[in-house]
C-alpha cells in the first residue's frame, strides 16, 4: 500500500533532569530534505540520525524538533554567592571612597538587583541535555517518533489510494461514454460536409467524395488515443499496486495520460465529447495534485 509524504510523529524521553520531546513533521518533496530544528542533538550523533530518518521516511521535506523541559530543581538558576559578596565588598569600598555609602544603607533592594546583574553572578552555564549515559533512552524515543510518523503516512496513504484510483476509474468510464458518441460524430461530420457542398452547389464525384470522407474521418479517429489511454491507466494501477514508492513514476504516467486526453479533445469535433474531455482533464489534474504527495 502506498504512503503519503505528509505526516506527524511525536515521542518523549524522561531523562534524569527533565523531559525531552521529539517531534517529526513532513510534507511532500522531491528528495529527502531533512532539517533538525534544535541545538540539543550532539553534533557527533547528527549524521547517524539523518541516515535513520532517510532510511525510514525515504522522501519529503522533513523537520525534526527537540524540546527540553527541565525539572523544577534543574531549571532554577544558581547564584554564585561568593562572587556576589566580592562585588558587594568592592561596591561598598567604592561608595565609601566617593561619599556614596548611604546607597548601601537606604536602598538595599536596589543594590541587590544590581549585584544580580553583575557578570557571572547568575550561573547560566547550560549542561548538556543529551549525554552518552542517557543516549539509549533518547535513541529509543527517536525511533518511536519515526515509527509514529511512518504509521501516520501509511494511514494517509490509504485515503490517497482510494482517491486517485477512483479518479482513474472515472476517466476510464468517461472514455466509455465517449464511445457512445462515435457513430453520431461520424454521421454529423458527413452531413455537415454534404450540406456545405449543397449550399455551394458543388457537384461531387461520389467515389471521390467517399475517398475524401475516409481521409477526413481518419484524421478525427481517436481509437489510437483510446487504446493508449487505457494502457496508461492500467500501467498506473499496476504501478500503484506493486511498487513500494511509486510517487515519481506515477508523475510520468500522468503526463502520458494527459497527452492522450488532450489529443482526444483536439480531435473531438463534437460538443458532448468535448464535455467528457473537460471532465477527464479535471479528474487528471486532481490526480496530479494528489500524486505529488505520494511517496
Amino acid at each position: 500500500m502506498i504512503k503519503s509524504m505528509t505526516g506527524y510523529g511525536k515521542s518523549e524521553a524522561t531523562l534524569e533532569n527533565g523531559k525531552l520531546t521529539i517531534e517529526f513533521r513532513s510534507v511532500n518533496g522531491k528528495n529527502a530534505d531533512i532539517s533538525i530544528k534544535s541545538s540539543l542533538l550532539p553534533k557527533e550523533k547528527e549524521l547517524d540520525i539523518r541516515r535513520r530518518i532517510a532510511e525510514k521516511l525515504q522522501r519529503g521535506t522533513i523537520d525534526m524538533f527537540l524540546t527540553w523541559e527541565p525539572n523544577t530543581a534543574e531549571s532554577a538558576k544558581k547564584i554564585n554567592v561568593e562572587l556576589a559578596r566580592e562585588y558587594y565588598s568592592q561596591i561598598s569600598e567604592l561608595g565609601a571612597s566617593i561619599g556614596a555609602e548611604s546607597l548601601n544603607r537606604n536602598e538595599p533592594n536596589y543594590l541587590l538587583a544590581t549585584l544580580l546583574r553583575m557578570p557571572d553572578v547568575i550561573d547560566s552555564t547550560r549542561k548538556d541535555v543529551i549525554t552518552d549515559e542517557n543516549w539509549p533512552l533518547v535513541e529509543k524515543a527517536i525511533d518511536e517518533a519515526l515509527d509514529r510518523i511512518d504509521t501516520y503516512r501509511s494511514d494517509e496513504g490509504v485515503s490517497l489510494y482510494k482517491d486517485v484510483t477512483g479518479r482513474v476509474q472515472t476517466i476510464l468510464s468517461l472514455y466509455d461514454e465517449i464511445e457512445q458518441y462515435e457513430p453520431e460524430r461520424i454521421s454529423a461530420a458527413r452531413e455537415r460536409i454534404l450540406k456545405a457542398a449543397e449550399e455551394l452547389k458543388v457537384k461531387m464525384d461520389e467515389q471521390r467524395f467517399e475517398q475524401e470522407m475516409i481521409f477526413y474521418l481518419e484524421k478525427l479517429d481517436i481509437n489510437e488515443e483510446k487504446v493508449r489511454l487505457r494502457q496508461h491507466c492500467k500501467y498506473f494501477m499496476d504501478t500503484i499496486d506493486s511498487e513500494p514508492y511509486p510517487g515519481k513514476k506515477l508523475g510520468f504516467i500522468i503526463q502520458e495520460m494527459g497527452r492522450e486526453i488532450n489529443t482526444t479533445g483536439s480531435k473531438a469535433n463534437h460538443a458532448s465529447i468535448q464535455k467528457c474531455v473537460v471532465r477527464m482533464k479535471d479528474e487528471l489534474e486532481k490526480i496530479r495534485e494528489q500524486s505529488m504527495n505520494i511517496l
Side-chain angles (χ1 to χ4, degrees):
M1 183 60 70
I2 63 171
K3 295 180 180 180
S4 168
M5 279 189 280
T6 298
Y8 176 78
K10 177 182 177 181
S11 183
E12 296 176 350
T14 302
L15 306 181
E16 59 274 13
N17 296 320
K19 182 175 69 176
L20 183 68
T21 302
I22 296 105
E23 293 177 276
F24 286 102
R25 300 173 190 173
S26 70
V27 294
N28 62 300
K30 291 184 178 180
N31 301 297
D33 182 12
I34 302 168
S35 179
I36 298 176
K37 308 283 189 178
S38 174
S39 60
L40 294 174
L41 188 68
K43 291 294 182 182
E44 65 272 14
K45 304 292 186 183
E46 186 173 322
L47 187 61
D48 179 61
I49 293 302
R50 287 181 179 274
R51 179 187 56 78
R52 289 190 188 199
I53 295 170
E55 287 179 355
K56 188 73 172 181
L57 304 183
Q58 294 293 322
R59 195 158 64 93
T61 301
I62 305 158
D63 291 330
M64 177 184 183
F65 299 88
L66 286 86
T67 308
W68 173 244
E69 296 179 35
N71 295 333
T72 304
E74 179 69 17
S75 61
K77 293 182 179 180
K78 302 295 188 293
I79 298 176
N80 190 330
V81 177
E82 293 301 321
L83 183 60
R85 285 175 175 167
E86 179 62 29
Y87 279 129
Y88 176 80
S89 176
Q90 293 184 33
I91 291 172
S92 298
E93 290 179 7
L94 177 63
S97 66
I98 62 174
E101 62 271 25
S102 59
L103 179 66
N104 300 335
R105 295 191 301 270
N106 299 331
E107 301 184 38
N109 291 334
Y110 175 79
L111 179 57
L112 180 60
T114 301
L115 286 172
L116 292 176
R117 288 196 297 268
M118 300 301 287
D120 301 324
V121 170
I122 300 295
D123 184 7
S124 59
T125 304
R126 194 189 78 180
K127 297 179 181 178
D128 290 334
V129 171
I130 301 174
T131 63
D132 290 339
E133 288 73 22
N134 63 30
W135 175 246
L137 290 173
V138 176
E139 192 175 30
K140 181 181 177 183
I142 291 172
D143 288 340
E144 288 176 355
L146 282 172
D147 287 340
R148 285 169 185 169
I149 187 175
D150 189 53
T151 300
Y152 190 109
R153 285 174 148 204
S154 296
D155 293 341
E156 286 287 306
V158 173
S159 299
L160 275 177
Y161 180 88
K162 183 178 179 180
D163 184 76
V164 297
T165 55
R167 295 187 188 281
V168 169
Q169 295 304 319
T170 299
I171 289 174
L172 289 171
S173 65
L174 285 168
Y175 227 113
D176 291 340
E177 186 177 334
I178 286 175
E179 287 185 322
Q180 300 175 13
Y181 300 114
E182 279 290 282
E184 178 186 332
R185 181 175 73 117
I186 294 171
S187 176
R190 186 183 185 90
E191 290 176 6
R192 189 165 56 250
I193 294 173
L194 286 172
K195 184 177 180 181
E198 288 177 5
E199 290 176 353
L200 295 172
K201 298 179 181 181
V202 176
K203 293 182 179 181
M204 296 184 295
D205 178 81
E206 186 174 344
Q207 186 176 359
R208 178 63 184 276
F209 171 74
E210 291 298 332
Q211 291 175 347
E212 293 294 332
M213 193 67 193
I214 291 171
F215 179 72
Y216 176 72
L217 292 178
E218 281 181 348
K219 286 186 173 181
L220 298 181
D221 182 59
I222 59 173
N223 187 65
E224 189 175 340
E225 285 74 19
K226 176 175 59 182
V227 171
R228 282 202 295 254
L229 179 61
R230 284 176 172 162
Q231 185 59 39
H232 292 327
C233 289
K234 181 179 182 302
Y235 189 30
F236 185 100
M237 294 301 299
D238 290 344
T239 300
I240 202 171
D241 284 335
S242 63
E243 297 195 11
Y245 309 117
K248 288 184 178 181
K249 185 179 286 188
L250 292 179
F252 297 128
I253 299 172
I254 290 167
Q255 288 180 6
E256 296 304 313
M257 291 169 65
R259 185 174 289 111
E260 303 309 328
I261 292 172
N262 288 334
T263 306
T264 299
S266 66
K267 291 182 175 182
N269 206 22
H270 188 280
S272 296
I273 293 178
Q274 287 287 10
K275 289 180 181 178
C276 289
V277 168
V278 170
R279 290 171 62 191
M280 285 193 291
K281 286 183 176 181
D282 181 52
E283 293 296 322
L284 188 67
E285 184 59 31
K286 290 174 182 176
I287 292 172
R288 180 180 287 109
E289 290 174 0
Q290 294 284 51
S291 70
M292 292 175 67
N293 206 27
I294 294 176
L295 184 59

